Amino acid sequence: MTKHTAGIHHITAFVRNPQDTVDFYAGVLGLRLIKQTINFDAPEVYHLYLGNELGSPGTIITFFPWAHSRKGRIGGGQVGITTYVVPAGTLDFWAERLRKFAIAFERTERFGEAYLQFEDKDGLKLEIVAREEGPQSQWSFGGVPAEKAVKGFGGAILYSTAPARTAHLLEHVMGLSRVGQEGAYTRFKSTGDLGNVIDLNVTPMGYGIGGSGTVHHIAWRAQDDADHAQWRSHVEQNGFQPTPIVDRQYFNAIYFREEGGILFEIATDPPGFARDEEPEHLGEKLMLPAWFEANRPQIVENLEPFEVRVLKEDQ
Ligand code: ZN
């Protein structure tokens, strides 16, 4: 059986502060907060989702903000850099915007493409690339009009403790195509038009340390529940140990750790974030799954309030 993922579904990272995180990803990068809920495995911690207007697969970054988190260290077994893609011709707009917010960035180049690389407040490494490919976001916020908005993920750079094993997995299990080699990077492409360019650093790296400023896992797309079940047996037949299917409310998930140490998830495209809120009101209220509703007052009491706001630089 050959299977091909369309690309990245979402990326989940650890941070410390919900207000700082929303200010950075909504206030500076112009993403939409499409869901605020809690970590279903740790209800004292938010789970915040930011993406395009509907939180389409390939656009979703999710955060567990936890004030007492230790500082992580980026290294092997992690997504090293998360790549955002903006419309062709808008990279200078983004460089100017980063300057406006006093965010230090570096211009780099890979595979003939220009990148702006920078960090969020917790040290999570990000980059922006401009491409024709991928639908335009319909969301505008603060100083970011929809026609210049982040479309979603361009992809990611993976740091592996066993790059040859990770490369084999990407190509032969996840169904990506190996499309290039340049310096320390092997480039893979998936079939979708967002979250579809994966650069693997082929230098084996020592393990990073999980904590704030690091990615916890990268999730790949499955089309629907039937495809998801197939993915689970496919992964298992290839020698990995996926978890049972877990209901994450907005998608179903399985998880497995690949041989280079990176935690992979496979998540279904449906049902998506409009299953419990109207599309025009996504992310405005704290949403809890039914099994937590009875404890809402205590849960809310433990969470630090925050707001989605236009930052002073944009006023
Ligand atoms: Zn996930």
Side-chain angles (χ1 to χ4, degrees), residues 9-12 47 49 62 64 216-219 248 251 253 255 265 267:
H9 182 284
H10 65 270
I11 288 177
T12 294
H47 195 181
Y49 292 75
T62 99
F64 297 125
H216 180 251
H217 64 265
I218 180 168
R248 293 303 187 198
F251 46 85
Y255 304 84
E265 173 182 342

Side-chain angles (χ1 to χ4, degrees), residues 83-84 91 105-117 127-129 131 187 197 199:
T83 311
Y84 277 113
L91 204 62
F105 65 91
E106 223 177 288
R107 279 180 191 269
T108 63
E109 219 181 284
R110 287 196 315 280
F111 299 98
E113 295 182 306
Y115 290 83
L116 309 176
Q117 295 190 327
E127 62 181 11
I128 293 179
V129 65
R131 289 182 187 139
R187 173 159 286 196
V197 179
D199 288 344

Side-chain angles (χ1 to χ4, degrees), residues 121-200:
K121 287 174 187 150
D122 287 286
L124 200 74
K125 290 189 188 297
L126 304 168
E127 62 181 11
I128 293 179
V129 65
R131 289 182 187 139
E132 294 284 353
E133 177 172 59
Q136 185 182 299
S137 172
Q138 302 303 309
W139 189 249
S140 62
F141 186 74
V144 186
E147 68 272 14
K148 291 178 177 163
V150 167
K151 294 194 261 193
F153 295 124
I157 298 183
L158 304 184
Y159 289 174
S160 171
T161 62
R165 304 303 304 153
T166 304
H168 183 89
L169 164 72
L170 290 172
E171 192 173 10
H172 298 288
V173 182
M174 303 313 295
L176 275 58
S177 307
R178 200 184 280 244
V179 295
Q181 177 73 43
E182 184 185 293
Y185 298 100
T186 303
R187 173 159 286 196
F188 296 86
K189 276 197 93 170
S190 61
T191 58
D193 56 8
L194 280 178
N196 57 339
V197 179
I198 305 299
D199 288 344
L200 172 68

